[in-house]
Amino acid sequence: MLGMGVHPKHRRSGVGVALLTAAINHARSIKLERIELEVFSTNEAAIRLYEKVGFTAEGTKRNACKSEGFYQDIVLMAFPL
């Protein structure tokens, strides 16, 4: 399990693509067959980034997380290596 994020000052500068590319390349180098991730459905920028590098949405966990009194859906995405 790996968590990552990009500081707001550095978003939309290619850092996210570089991080994902490095993670994908490392996964390939250790012979993984698939990468899975979860992302809040409201995080549209992250979903676009994941789709840009080749992740595909595979499903949604409805009301999967309660934060600050509100439930959020989580989108399940995967990248076949």
Side-chain angles (χ1 to χ4, degrees), residues 11-12 39-52 72-73 75 77:
R11 290 180 184 154
R12 303 196 55 80
V39 60
F40 288 118
S41 62
T42 55
N43 193 345
E44 295 173 6
I47 292 169
R48 282 193 307 271
L49 170 63
Y50 299 139
E51 290 173 338
K52 179 178 180 178
Q72 292 193 52
D73 294 347
V75 178
M77 301 184 82

Side-chain angles (χ1 to χ4, degrees), residues 5 7 13 25 28-30 35 37-38 42 44 46-47 53 55 59 61 63 65 67 73-74 76 79:
H7 190 280
S13 67
N25 289 339
R28 283 186 176 130
S29 77
I30 61 171
I35 301 172
L37 65 81
E38 296 182 356
T42 55
E44 295 173 6
I47 292 169
V53 299
F55 281 83
K61 292 184 192 179
N63 298 322
C65 181
S67 176
D73 294 347
I74 291 177
L76 308 171
F79 184 97

